[in-house]
Amino acid sequence: MSHGSGLQAGLKNRHLSMIAIGGVIGAGLFVGSSTGIATAGPGILLSYALVGTLVVLVMRMLGEMSAANPTSGSFSAHADRALGRWAGFSIGWLYWFFWVVVLAVEATAGAKILEGWIPAVPQWGWALIVMLVLTATNLVSVGSYGEFEFWFAGIKVVAIGAFIVVGALAVFGVLPGAHSDKAGLSNLTAHGGFLPHGPGAILTGVLLVVFSFMGSEIATLAAGESEDPQRAVTKSTNSIIWRIAVFYLGSILVVISLLPWNDPSIKTDGSYVAALNSLGIAHAGQIMNFIVLTSVLSCLNSGLYTASRMAFSLGERGDAPKVFAKANSRGVPMAAILSSVLFGFVAVFFNYKFPDSVFLFLVNSSGAVALFVWLVICFSQLRMRKIIQREAPEKLVVKMWLYPYLTWATAALIVFVLGYMLTDTEHDGRETVLLSLMVAAVVLIIAFVKQSMTAKKTQPEIPATEDPEKVPTA
């Protein structure tokens, strides 16, 4: 990342490795998996495998573009260059919107846990404290964000690793002192078969688990502020397969092997707590609450970082107020961080004042943004590969497999999932897609109006694929 742009290379390689690993493990894995298990039974493993494959393919495409051109705008900057200004503008702002809503969701989730421990402070008070502490961290320097994330993600990774080891020992009956009478691989088929609700439940499961994967792209945004961006992107892209296989598939496999999928405790206590309780591990609930809290704080920390860097990049490209693109002497984009936090606070306020109307609208209208982002990455990569091959073929250090066929297949799968969501009335799938499309349409209209107003200065389309568009190069 050129230092002229104001951001500094404050992230060490160990920070970036942990951001890459931790970014995949959202709090959604701990909190949301119980609904998925109840819906699809053991077949939820196929849902996770399907979404995991999708994420691996999308991250491969993003890795190809980001290794050739690391920038804090990541896929928004690539879309800007490959598809045109309207694409970079729209997807950048939609992504920003997604993360500021996530800030509110996670702050509330963290506040609930903290209030359970120290009831003297009201829930909104905890939400406020959590937001303020992490805002301060992000405002100090990118290094302090990286350090916080290193430890948060480290706790998550160690916890899930320990959970998988302990759980696997219990499943095979070699865990000393465990009362695991229900455990065994037979749980995968014994209670109504592997797909108790039929194959259709796999797709419904996909809708329920897809959101817990959002965040895997953070490493490519953060790479712009690392010591060796190209190496960082290459490393995080190459390691995503084992990260998803171990953390998602591994831990969910352990949960549904320890307990029958239809055990009522999975729904009441949450899948991981229920699994630990079934082994007779003391204080399992509190241990898990601590890990979920760590995940929530990690997600908040990253969400704030990601939203602010996207705002910075949009400001740099003239798609957001110029002040967003200003960084202080420590390389911190103050205005971009504070404006993102401000919207986060507004969303928290809505969550307490109008949880069932305004806040529900915010959550649902940002819900499908993950899928829109992935779709844009697919189309950007199709065009960006040609640009890189023409201009700097030596920069193709990460390559998308079976290009262009696998890229098209991935795009088709994402469109299929979006289409299937429209048929899902039970889990708000249809509402989420329709509201997200509505918000996307509004942003697109603004993008096209803005583009036509500046058309006199910049001729659209043809220069967009040849002109580097002020995107910082490595």
mmCIF file of all heavy atoms in Angstrom, residues 429-446:
data_model
loop_
_atom_site.group_PDB
_atom_site.id
_atom_site.type_symbol
_atom_site.label_atom_id
_atom_site.label_comp_id
_atom_site.label_asym_id
_atom_site.label_seq_id
_atom_site.Cartn_x
_atom_site.Cartn_y
_atom_site.Cartn_z
ATOM 1 N N GLY A 429 -36.705 -15.572 4.528
ATOM 2 C CA GLY A 429 -35.820 -15.552 3.362
ATOM 3 C C GLY A 429 -36.304 -14.595 2.284
ATOM 4 O O GLY A 429 -35.541 -13.772 1.783
ATOM 5 N N ARG A 430 -37.599 -14.711 1.961
ATOM 6 C CA ARG A 430 -38.152 -13.861 0.896
ATOM 7 C C ARG A 430 -38.042 -12.387 1.274
ATOM 8 O O ARG A 430 -37.577 -11.556 0.484
ATOM 9 C CB ARG A 430 -39.623 -14.223 0.660
ATOM 10 C CG ARG A 430 -40.293 -13.295 -0.345
ATOM 11 C CD ARG A 430 -41.743 -13.638 -0.548
ATOM 12 N NE ARG A 430 -41.884 -14.958 -1.161
ATOM 13 C CZ ARG A 430 -43.059 -15.495 -1.470
ATOM 14 N NH1 ARG A 430 -44.170 -14.841 -1.214
ATOM 15 N NH2 ARG A 430 -43.125 -16.674 -2.038
ATOM 16 N N GLU A 431 -38.411 -12.081 2.514
ATOM 17 C CA GLU A 431 -38.375 -10.690 2.971
ATOM 18 C C GLU A 431 -36.947 -10.136 2.907
ATOM 19 O O GLU A 431 -36.717 -9.016 2.464
ATOM 20 C CB GLU A 431 -38.889 -10.641 4.416
ATOM 21 C CG GLU A 431 -39.353 -9.255 4.819
ATOM 22 C CD GLU A 431 -39.885 -9.243 6.259
ATOM 23 O OE1 GLU A 431 -40.228 -10.329 6.782
ATOM 24 O OE2 GLU A 431 -39.939 -8.161 6.825
ATOM 25 N N THR A 432 -35.991 -10.958 3.343
ATOM 26 C CA THR A 432 -34.587 -10.530 3.339
ATOM 27 C C THR A 432 -34.123 -10.188 1.928
ATOM 28 O O THR A 432 -33.533 -9.132 1.702
ATOM 29 C CB THR A 432 -33.692 -11.644 3.930
ATOM 30 O OG1 THR A 432 -34.116 -11.903 5.265
ATOM 31 C CG2 THR A 432 -32.237 -11.244 3.947
ATOM 32 N N VAL A 433 -34.425 -11.076 0.971
ATOM 33 C CA VAL A 433 -33.979 -10.816 -0.410
ATOM 34 C C VAL A 433 -34.669 -9.583 -0.984
ATOM 35 O O VAL A 433 -34.019 -8.713 -1.568
ATOM 36 C CB VAL A 433 -34.244 -12.044 -1.317
ATOM 37 C CG1 VAL A 433 -33.926 -11.706 -2.768
ATOM 38 C CG2 VAL A 433 -33.394 -13.212 -0.887
ATOM 39 N N LEU A 434 -35.992 -9.495 -0.791
ATOM 40 C CA LEU A 434 -36.730 -8.369 -1.372
ATOM 41 C C LEU A 434 -36.276 -7.037 -0.781
ATOM 42 O O LEU A 434 -36.060 -6.067 -1.504
ATOM 43 C CB LEU A 434 -38.239 -8.563 -1.186
ATOM 44 C CG LEU A 434 -38.847 -9.733 -1.988
ATOM 45 C CD1 LEU A 434 -40.320 -9.922 -1.655
ATOM 46 C CD2 LEU A 434 -38.670 -9.502 -3.491
ATOM 47 N N LEU A 435 -36.108 -7.000 0.560
ATOM 48 C CA LEU A 435 -35.677 -5.738 1.189
ATOM 49 C C LEU A 435 -34.241 -5.397 0.797
ATOM 50 O O LEU A 435 -33.912 -4.240 0.548
ATOM 51 C CB LEU A 435 -35.797 -5.826 2.713
ATOM 52 C CG LEU A 435 -37.226 -5.801 3.270
ATOM 53 C CD1 LEU A 435 -37.235 -6.010 4.774
ATOM 54 C CD2 LEU A 435 -37.903 -4.466 2.946
ATOM 55 N N SER A 436 -33.385 -6.424 0.731
ATOM 56 C CA SER A 436 -31.989 -6.179 0.329
ATOM 57 C C SER A 436 -31.927 -5.679 -1.113
ATOM 58 O O SER A 436 -31.144 -4.786 -1.446
ATOM 59 C CB SER A 436 -31.139 -7.448 0.468
ATOM 60 O OG SER A 436 -31.112 -7.891 1.798
ATOM 61 N N LEU A 437 -32.755 -6.277 -1.974
ATOM 62 C CA LEU A 437 -32.807 -5.827 -3.379
ATOM 63 C C LEU A 437 -33.296 -4.388 -3.469
ATOM 64 O O LEU A 437 -32.807 -3.602 -4.283
ATOM 65 C CB LEU A 437 -33.732 -6.743 -4.197
ATOM 66 C CG LEU A 437 -33.131 -8.090 -4.625
ATOM 67 C CD1 LEU A 437 -34.206 -8.986 -5.226
ATOM 68 C CD2 LEU A 437 -31.992 -7.896 -5.638
ATOM 69 N N MET A 438 -34.260 -4.046 -2.601
ATOM 70 C CA MET A 438 -34.796 -2.681 -2.604
ATOM 71 C C MET A 438 -33.691 -1.680 -2.235
ATOM 72 O O MET A 438 -33.504 -0.664 -2.902
ATOM 73 C CB MET A 438 -35.951 -2.585 -1.610
ATOM 74 C CG MET A 438 -36.702 -1.277 -1.652
ATOM 75 S SD MET A 438 -37.900 -1.203 -0.314
ATOM 76 C CE MET A 438 -36.860 -0.712 1.039
ATOM 77 N N VAL A 439 -32.955 -2.001 -1.166
ATOM 78 C CA VAL A 439 -31.855 -1.122 -0.746
ATOM 79 C C VAL A 439 -30.793 -1.049 -1.849
ATOM 80 O O VAL A 439 -30.286 0.025 -2.177
ATOM 81 C CB VAL A 439 -31.232 -1.621 0.581
ATOM 82 C CG1 VAL A 439 -29.958 -0.855 0.904
ATOM 83 C CG2 VAL A 439 -32.232 -1.479 1.719
ATOM 84 N N ALA A 440 -30.484 -2.209 -2.457
ATOM 85 C CA ALA A 440 -29.490 -2.237 -3.539
ATOM 86 C C ALA A 440 -29.945 -1.375 -4.710
ATOM 87 O O ALA A 440 -29.146 -0.658 -5.319
ATOM 88 C CB ALA A 440 -29.260 -3.676 -3.994
ATOM 89 N N ALA A 441 -31.258 -1.430 -5.008
ATOM 90 C CA ALA A 441 -31.801 -0.636 -6.123
ATOM 91 C C ALA A 441 -31.633 0.854 -5.850
ATOM 92 O O ALA A 441 -31.239 1.619 -6.740
ATOM 93 C CB ALA A 441 -33.275 -0.982 -6.338
ATOM 94 N N VAL A 442 -31.897 1.253 -4.607
ATOM 95 C CA VAL A 442 -31.749 2.664 -4.234
ATOM 96 C C VAL A 442 -30.293 3.106 -4.424
ATOM 97 O O VAL A 442 -30.014 4.145 -5.016
ATOM 98 C CB VAL A 442 -32.203 2.895 -2.763
ATOM 99 C CG1 VAL A 442 -31.833 4.298 -2.298
ATOM 100 C CG2 VAL A 442 -33.703 2.660 -2.629
ATOM 101 N N VAL A 443 -29.368 2.277 -3.943
ATOM 102 C CA VAL A 443 -27.944 2.609 -4.053
ATOM 103 C C VAL A 443 -27.523 2.674 -5.534
ATOM 104 O O VAL A 443 -26.780 3.565 -5.938
ATOM 105 C CB VAL A 443 -27.080 1.583 -3.281
ATOM 106 C CG1 VAL A 443 -25.596 1.869 -3.488
ATOM 107 C CG2 VAL A 443 -27.401 1.623 -1.796
ATOM 108 N N LEU A 444 -28.030 1.729 -6.329
ATOM 109 C CA LEU A 444 -27.701 1.721 -7.764
ATOM 110 C C LEU A 444 -28.202 2.976 -8.469
ATOM 111 O O LEU A 444 -27.511 3.551 -9.309
ATOM 112 C CB LEU A 444 -28.313 0.484 -8.436
ATOM 113 C CG LEU A 444 -27.469 -0.791 -8.403
ATOM 114 C CD1 LEU A 444 -28.286 -1.978 -8.880
ATOM 115 C CD2 LEU A 444 -26.219 -0.636 -9.273
ATOM 116 N N ILE A 445 -29.421 3.391 -8.113
ATOM 117 C CA ILE A 445 -29.981 4.609 -8.728
ATOM 118 C C ILE A 445 -29.093 5.805 -8.402
ATOM 119 O O ILE A 445 -28.724 6.591 -9.281
ATOM 120 C CB ILE A 445 -31.441 4.847 -8.249
ATOM 121 C CG1 ILE A 445 -32.363 3.765 -8.847
ATOM 122 C CG2 ILE A 445 -31.924 6.234 -8.642
ATOM 123 C CD1 ILE A 445 -33.731 3.673 -8.188
ATOM 124 N N ILE A 446 -28.686 5.889 -7.107
ATOM 125 C CA ILE A 446 -27.796 6.990 -6.707
ATOM 126 C C ILE A 446 -26.492 6.921 -7.512
ATOM 127 O O ILE A 446 -25.986 7.929 -7.997
ATOM 128 C CB ILE A 446 -27.490 6.929 -5.186
ATOM 129 C CG1 ILE A 446 -28.777 7.128 -4.384
ATOM 130 C CG2 ILE A 446 -26.443 7.973 -4.793
ATOM 131 C CD1 ILE A 446 -28.658 6.831 -2.897
#
